[in-house]
Amino acid sequence: MKKLSIEWKHFDKDGATCKRCSQTGDNLNAVIKKLKDEYALKELEIEFQETKLPDSRMAESNQILIDGILLENLIPNTTTGVNYCDSCSDLIDDPKGCNCRTVNQGKNVYEEIPTNLVKQAIMNRLSNIADNNVNERKKMNIQVIGSGCPTCKKLYEITQKAVAEMNMVNNVEYISGESGIQKIIELGAMSSPLLIVNGKIAMEGFNPDIEEIKQAIISGTTKTEKVKCSCGGNCQ
């Protein structure tokens, strides 16, 4: 499951915040709700945190952090600035007034962070996570281990297809014969063939479902019912 942490920081005075922060909060919540609906079937978990700040930390007010990264750092050609804020000035009751953060993109200066920038930052972060996951998958060591019987070979063929469909460039190593049997014994497996990911058993026994094989590769485990290979499970 993909996990995303989103933190919204804003000035708070006795339960009240300024108008620009309040609007940013509304925009952020609207985007989060929409994304949760869109990703309901894609297993996206969003952890939201609201951090209320005292006036001594006013410089951090109206910040949005996604996985600890400031929103403006996730969007190209986006910077921050400050300008006078009537609303905050009223809240802190300071005759000198108060300057608050803005998010700037090109000629546009946003006092309230709009929904399109919030969504763009989140989608850019999800894209970064996906790229990182692809890079991690490229480093995976994937093996199919068996005696060399037809069922073991079939798992090897399905695993190769699964890897190709996942756009992974990994080669799947097939270990069979006496070497395969010895490896099964060393791993202490009770049935075969085995799908091994990074040296650990991801699936024990034959499973023809390519989607479950993909999930086993990603997560390293599978809860599917084991089916012994055509040699009667006597590989080991």
Side-chain angles (χ1 to χ4, degrees), residues 20-233:
R20 66 173 69 179
C21 286
S22 179
Q23 186 59 56
T24 293
D26 290 344
N27 293 343
L28 176 58
N29 282 316
V31 172
I32 290 174
K33 183 180 184 304
K34 187 173 182 180
L35 284 175
K36 282 184 175 179
D37 292 340
E38 290 177 355
Y39 278 80
L41 300 178
K42 298 182 181 179
E43 297 187 332
L44 173 65
E45 180 182 334
I46 297 178
E47 182 181 288
F48 176 67
Q49 177 182 342
E50 179 180 357
T51 302
K52 299 178 180 180
L53 305 172
D55 55 9
S56 61
R57 296 176 61 186
M58 188 69 76
E60 300 172 57
S61 186
N62 214 23
Q63 287 184 347
I64 295 176
L65 296 96
I66 302 167
D67 286 341
I69 305 170
L70 286 166
L71 171 141
E72 56 268 21
N73 292 337
L74 287 166
I75 305 174
N77 304 315
T78 303
T79 59
T80 60
V82 294
N83 65 11
Y84 183 79
C85 179
D86 288 323
S87 182
C88 277
S89 298
D90 291 340
L91 285 172
I92 64 174
D93 194 24
D94 187 341
K96 296 180 181 179
C98 176
N99 288 326
C100 290
R101 295 177 88 251
T102 62
V103 172
N104 309 329
Q105 190 176 55
K107 296 181 180 180
N108 297 315
V109 177
Y110 300 103
E111 295 182 346
E112 308 93 7
I113 303 176
T115 55
N116 65 305
L117 289 190
V118 174
K119 185 171 183 179
Q120 184 180 353
I122 291 174
M123 298 309 294
N124 286 350
R125 177 56 185 160
L126 287 173
S127 178
N128 291 342
I129 292 172
D131 290 342
N132 290 338
N133 288 342
V134 169
N135 290 332
E136 286 300 315
R137 289 177 190 175
K138 288 179 180 178
K139 300 175 185 176
M140 284 182 175
N141 179 23
I142 302 171
Q143 300 170 310
V144 172
I145 301 176
S147 66
C149 69
T151 305
C152 298
K153 292 177 182 177
K154 186 65 176 177
L155 178 62
Y156 172 58
E157 292 169 1
I158 298 173
T159 302
Q160 284 183 307
K161 185 177 180 181
V163 166
E165 289 185 4
M166 294 166 71
N167 295 318
M168 298 170 67
V169 297
N170 310 61
N171 291 321
V172 180
E173 182 183 7
Y174 181 40
I175 303 175
S176 61
E178 291 184 6
S179 297
I181 294 171
Q182 183 60 38
K183 192 68 176 177
I184 292 168
I185 294 171
E186 291 174 3
L187 290 167
M190 300 303 293
S191 60
S192 63
L194 303 178
L195 174 61
I196 307 295
V197 178
N198 293 335
K200 297 182 180 180
I201 298 175
M203 188 170 71
E204 185 176 342
F206 176 70
N207 189 330
D209 190 325
I210 191 169
E211 295 304 321
E212 292 197 14
I213 289 173
K214 290 177 184 178
Q215 186 59 41
I217 291 171
I218 293 170
S219 65
T221 59
T222 181
K223 296 181 180 179
T224 58
E225 185 178 350
K226 301 169 186 175
V227 180
K228 291 184 178 180
C229 71
S230 59
C231 67

